[in-house]
Amino acid sequence: MTNDANKMWGGRFAAGPDAIMEAINASIGFDQRLARQDIQGSRAHAAMLAATGILTNSDAEAIREGLLTVLSEIETGEFAFSTALEDIHMNVEARLKELIGEPAGRLHTGRSRNDQVATDFRLWVRDQCDAAHSGLRALQIALLNQAEAGADWVMPGFTHLQTAQPVTWGHHMMAYVEMLGRDASRFADARARMNECPLGAAALAGTSFPIDRDATAQALGFDRPMANSLDAVADRDFALEFLAASSITAMHLSRLAEELVIWSSAQFRFVTMSDRFSTGSSIMPQKKNPDAAELVRAKIGRILGATVGLFTVMKGLPLAYSKDMQEDKQQVFDAADSLMLSLAAMEGMVADMSANPDALRVAAASGFSTATDLADWLVREAGLPFRDAHHVTGTLVALAESTGVDLPDLSLDQMMSAHPAITDAVFGVLGVDNSVKSRTSYGGTSPDQVRSQIAFWKERLG
């Protein structure tokens, strides 16, 4: 019977159903990443227990020293993690007992694994918000440097990936600085909202011991303790908000990565990617592949997938704690890893890439990119309603296309054939340089506006 049962469960689990339960129940394979936060929380809890007289000072000191020893063993790789002990909390507590004996058993007074893991995880995610904020800042600085170098380099601006109007390289780089600035603010906002301490909520109802939750919250850098013990152990909004902010950031990185893939192609030649972030082909010796950009472009799949995954885990759970919530960590860990790697890779690519101003300028002049400037001139100088100016400009674009020239190359007679109010002053607004210099409205692409925004962000980022 036992042999048949083992065959039913499969060769992976030689001990039968007990091994299955241990495998599905244990989280130490991934939650050992919370070791530093777990020990940090335990030290704060022990200090509070001593300060309130729940724990003797000698026991608290033994616990403090023992926890430091455990942390050292973990950081040096000497610690032996046990699946039988299920999670990081029990692994640390068991080793603490081996080191200091009976006082270790008093550490858990006034708390539960429910509020313990909620605190550990919140501390870890809070650290990741800080890390993401730093990574975003580094990438913004790399983009600012590119923008400053090419504040007046003319390039095509696109809509529908078709040439629309000339813009500057600096203006394009600054668009991503703005996007990433919003990303950074989302992580900052999420961090502020999650900065409340679950510790002391115990299993779900609080504790009868006279604990000081304000003291542990302060010791762990939280603004305050969470106000409802049920919510404290049941909430994973902080992780969901981190994932949501990560997903939006990853989407922005993916858009930039896509542009780098396009721009570095032989058809565009807008940029040259450094060898550090490119690979070759196993069969085509001429190839230089933007693999780092392509991988950053793909990371949104993993990060957004983690977001959907955790929403799905949490969506039907009654208050307060359910074992389902053990499935909250792996996807957050993976998303955080993917995000930080993507930010670092993108910073490296942006810092190292070289723009090709000549190719940018040639492309900027293609596709009748100054047609809008002509229409604006007709409104401003000839007094035409914009819709009429739009029609006249369209007529001249068709004429230029049929004769194989660009708008600035049409003669004045050809221009006047579309409307007699056109004078030779129109040529002062045509041409890509004139076009970008004229876009002086706040947030526009003129080099002066771009340099103003660069100065603003330099001061803001410090």
Side-chain angles (χ1 to χ4, degrees):
M1 183 67 178
T2 302
N3 288 338
D4 290 341
N6 287 350
K7 289 178 182 177
M8 180 178 70
W9 291 112
R12 171 67 180 80
F13 300 98
D18 287 346
I20 295 284
M21 185 58 199
E22 181 178 296
I24 197 171
N25 194 50
S27 59
I28 190 59
F30 53 86
D31 70 12
Q32 59 187 260
R33 291 183 66 161
L34 300 176
R36 184 175 62 81
Q37 289 78 15
D38 191 70
I39 290 170
Q40 183 183 3
S42 290
R43 292 183 63 194
H45 185 66
M48 179 275 294
L49 292 177
T52 54
I54 300 171
L55 199 65
T56 66
N57 288 331
S58 60
D59 282 351
E61 179 62 19
I63 289 170
R64 188 186 77 84
E65 293 298 327
L67 286 172
L68 289 176
T69 300
V70 174
L71 180 60
S72 176
E73 290 177 352
I74 292 172
E75 290 179 340
T76 58
E78 300 172 24
F79 193 93
F81 292 102
S82 169
T83 304
L85 291 170
E86 294 184 14
D87 55 33
I88 186 60
H89 324 297
M90 297 305 293
N91 270 263
V92 169
E93 188 173 323
R95 178 57 180 149
L96 183 64
K97 187 174 182 180
E98 289 176 355
L99 290 169
I100 68 171
E102 186 178 297
R106 299 192 176 98
L107 172 60
H108 212 52
T109 306
R111 74 173 183 184
S112 161
R113 276 194 291 177
N114 293 356
D115 63 333
Q116 188 178 359
V117 69
T119 303
D120 294 356
F121 196 24
R122 195 173 285 248
L123 286 169
W124 191 90
V125 174
R126 190 179 70 179
D127 289 344
Q128 295 307 301
C129 286
D130 292 340
H133 203 278
S134 295
L136 284 163
R137 180 181 180 278
L139 177 52
Q140 284 180 293
I141 290 171
L143 287 161
L144 279 172
N145 290 336
Q146 285 284 352
E148 192 166 32
D152 54 2
W153 295 346
V154 182
M155 68 174 289
F158 298 98
T159 60
H160 311 279
L161 203 56
Q162 306 295 313
T163 300
Q165 293 177 264
V167 296
T168 56
W169 171 262
H171 194 54
H172 202 113
M173 294 297 102
M174 291 305 296
Y176 284 103
V177 172
E178 292 287 336
M179 288 185 212
L180 299 177
R182 292 193 298 274
D183 292 331
S185 72
R186 273 183 279 271
F187 284 110
D189 289 347
R191 190 195 195 283
R193 257 185 299 280
M194 72 178 63
N195 207 35
E196 296 182 340
C197 186
L199 195 58
L204 75 163
T207 177
S208 59
F209 290 96
I211 61 173
D212 184 349
R213 293 191 64 207
D214 288 298
T216 48
Q218 183 177 1
L220 294 170
F222 289 108
D223 294 329
R224 64 192 69 85
M226 294 186 73
N228 184 284
S229 60
L230 287 166
D231 182 46
V233 299
D235 172 58
R236 293 298 183 270
D237 291 358
F238 63 92
L240 288 166
E241 196 166 2
F242 168 75
L243 288 174
S246 297
S247 294
I248 297 173
T249 299
M251 177 269 293
H252 287 152
L253 296 179
S254 183
R255 295 183 74 178
L256 177 54
E258 168 71 356
E259 296 208 296
L260 297 185
V261 170
I262 293 171
W263 291 351
S264 62
S265 68
Q267 289 73 24
F268 274 73
R269 297 187 301 108
F270 285 4
V271 300
T272 300
M273 306 299 293
S274 78
D275 292 346
R276 294 200 310 146
F277 294 96
S278 305
T279 65
S281 167
S282 62
I283 191 172
M284 295 170 283
Q286 84 282 7
K287 292 290 294 299
K288 184 175 182 180
N289 299 324
D291 283 9
E294 291 171 357
L295 288 166
V296 168
R297 185 174 60 186
K299 291 293 185 184
I300 178 65
R302 291 177 70 161
I303 296 171
L304 182 59
T307 307
V308 174
L310 185 54
F311 268 107
T312 306
V313 167
M314 296 301 299
K315 72 172 183 62
L317 298 186
L319 298 182
Y321 182 83
S322 298
K323 193 67 171 180
D324 311 48
M325 291 165 72
Q326 182 170 290
E327 293 297 313
D328 60 358
K329 297 173 194 66
Q330 283 175 290
Q331 46 226 0
V332 177
F333 292 160
D334 183 74
D337 290 345
S338 294
L339 177 67
M340 293 310 302
L341 183 58
S342 296
L343 285 169
M346 186 57 75
E347 183 212 347
M349 282 186 282
V350 170
D352 284 3
M353 71 182 181
S354 300
N356 183 347
D358 293 336
L360 293 171
R361 171 174 288 278
V362 169
S366 67
F368 308 105
S369 63
T370 57
T372 305
D373 298 278
L374 174 56
D376 288 346
W377 185 89
L378 289 167
V379 171
R380 190 171 55 251
E381 302 298 331
L384 272 66
F386 184 79
R387 288 302 173 195
D388 292 346
H390 186 282
H391 178 76
V392 171
T393 301
T395 301
L396 289 172
V397 167
L399 176 61
E401 189 172 33
S402 67
T403 56
V405 299
D406 199 3
L407 284 172
D409 301 319
L410 291 173
S411 68
L412 179 59
D413 287 342
Q414 288 173 310
M415 289 274 192
M416 293 179 65
S417 69
H419 198 282
I422 297 176
T423 69
D424 60 1
V426 73
F427 294 103
V429 301
L430 299 180
V432 291
D433 289 301
N434 290 331
S435 176
V436 297
K437 287 177 182 177
S438 72
R439 306 294 172 183
T440 56
S441 60
Y442 178 78
T445 192
S446 73
D448 287 344
Q449 279 292 324
V450 171
R451 290 189 176 96
S452 175
Q453 289 301 310
I454 291 170
F456 167 81
W457 275 103
K458 278 189 167 183
E459 182 177 353
R460 181 170 174 178
L461 293 175

